[in-house]
Amino acid sequence: MVDIMGMVYGALNTVFNPILAMDPNPANPALTVLIIAFIVSLITTIANKYLVDQDEMNEIQARSKKLTSELREAQKKGDGKKIAELQARQTEMMKDQSAMMSNQFKPMIVTFVPIILIFFWMRTSAISGLVVHLPVTVYWITLTPVWHFIGSIFYGGKATIPYGIGWLLWYMICTFGMSQILRKYLGFKQGF
């Protein structure tokens, strides 16, 4: 029988172990997680760029925003006729928004499996022991104590390293930052 997951992990080891080996601190590979976050962000951003019609999405969002403000204005004025007309248009707009949301799922379908496999690899590799020490301000801004509390509920124990975070939260912080930079660089009009 063919061990498919073994082959997948072997391929991921081939790709990511050299990056892990080049990390200045292989025992605590924060730089490797940053590089992996960049790779995953690049893949998802490019998938969004080419699988989602950004102009159509922005147009639907603009029309929806305009309709909402017109409806709010009509409600302030108490114009029943205008409210009824706008609510009828709002029903049509919901169909457009539904189509837009299904359009946004296309990149997720393409990127979901590779990203999940990368997560499983990270969890089973040397990265799983990563601890990143954050500056006190960043520690509180990222709501790290809340994440530690939630983690203690699900996994037991408590955070013992002051101002420290594990690989998953570090990955999330890196991915968020990288995604924003890449979206700006690739010309996305919307921030998220």
Side-chain angles (χ1 to χ4, degrees), residues 9-63:
Y9 282 124
L12 290 172
N13 280 334
T14 303
V15 172
F16 293 121
N17 277 347
I19 298 170
L20 190 59
M22 289 188 304
D23 197 304
N25 187 3
N28 202 26
L31 182 61
T32 301
V33 174
L34 180 70
I35 292 169
I36 292 171
F38 174 77
I39 292 168
V40 170
S41 296
L42 184 63
I43 291 168
T44 56
T45 305
I46 288 173
N48 272 303
K49 177 81 172 171
Y50 292 107
L51 295 175
V52 176
D53 185 353
Q54 298 296 321
D55 294 330
E56 180 185 1
M57 189 175 77
N58 290 334
E59 182 182 316
I60 290 171
Q61 286 178 340
R63 286 195 324 247

Side-chain angles (χ1 to χ4, degrees), residues 57-75:
M57 189 175 77
N58 290 334
E59 182 182 316
I60 290 171
Q61 286 178 340
R63 286 195 324 247
S64 176
K65 193 174 183 180
K66 182 181 177 193
L67 181 68
T68 303
S69 70
E70 286 178 13
L71 183 60
R72 200 174 304 130
E73 192 65 36
Q75 287 171 339

Side-chain angles (χ1 to χ4, degrees), residues 12-190:
L12 290 172
N13 280 334
T14 303
V15 172
F16 293 121
N17 277 347
I19 298 170
L20 190 59
M22 289 188 304
D23 197 304
N25 187 3
N28 202 26
L31 182 61
T32 301
V33 174
L34 180 70
I35 292 169
I36 292 171
F38 174 77
I39 292 168
V40 170
S41 296
L42 184 63
I43 291 168
T44 56
T45 305
I46 288 173
N48 272 303
K49 177 81 172 171
Y50 292 107
L51 295 175
V52 176
D53 185 353
Q54 298 296 321
D55 294 330
E56 180 185 1
M57 189 175 77
N58 290 334
E59 182 182 316
I60 290 171
Q61 286 178 340
R63 286 195 324 247
S64 176
K65 193 174 183 180
K66 182 181 177 193
L67 181 68
T68 303
S69 70
E70 286 178 13
L71 183 60
R72 200 174 304 130
E73 192 65 36
Q75 287 171 339
K76 282 182 185 177
K77 292 180 180 177
D79 187 352
K81 186 177 177 181
K82 183 78 171 173
I83 291 172
E85 175 194 327
L86 291 170
Q87 286 176 337
R89 283 179 38 203
Q90 194 172 29
T91 305
E92 295 172 20
M93 181 61 67
M94 284 183 189
K95 291 177 188 173
D96 288 344
Q97 287 177 333
S98 167
M100 179 183 70
M101 287 187 68
S102 66
N103 195 17
Q104 287 177 315
F105 278 112
K106 288 179 191 175
M108 190 184 319
I109 292 168
V110 172
T111 60
F112 182 73
V113 172
I115 290 171
I116 291 299
L117 292 174
I118 290 171
F119 266 46
F120 282 131
W121 178 84
M122 288 170 60
R123 198 181 103 220
T124 59
S125 71
I127 290 172
S128 64
L130 171 70
V131 176
V132 175
H133 299 276
L134 298 175
V136 176
T137 308
V138 175
Y139 179 81
W140 290 103
I141 289 173
T142 58
L143 302 176
T144 302
V146 173
W147 299 114
H148 283 171
F149 175 73
I150 292 170
S152 70
I153 291 171
F154 288 105
Y155 302 111
K158 64 177 187 167
T160 57
I161 299 167
Y163 309 114
I165 60 172
W167 72 270
L168 185 58
L169 188 53
W170 176 242
Y171 169 83
M172 290 168 54
I173 292 169
C174 293
T175 303
F176 179 77
M178 293 292 175
S179 293
Q180 295 309 308
I181 292 167
L182 288 169
R183 289 176 73 86
K184 189 75 167 175
Y185 180 74
L186 291 173
F188 281 75
K189 294 178 181 146
Q190 298 293 326

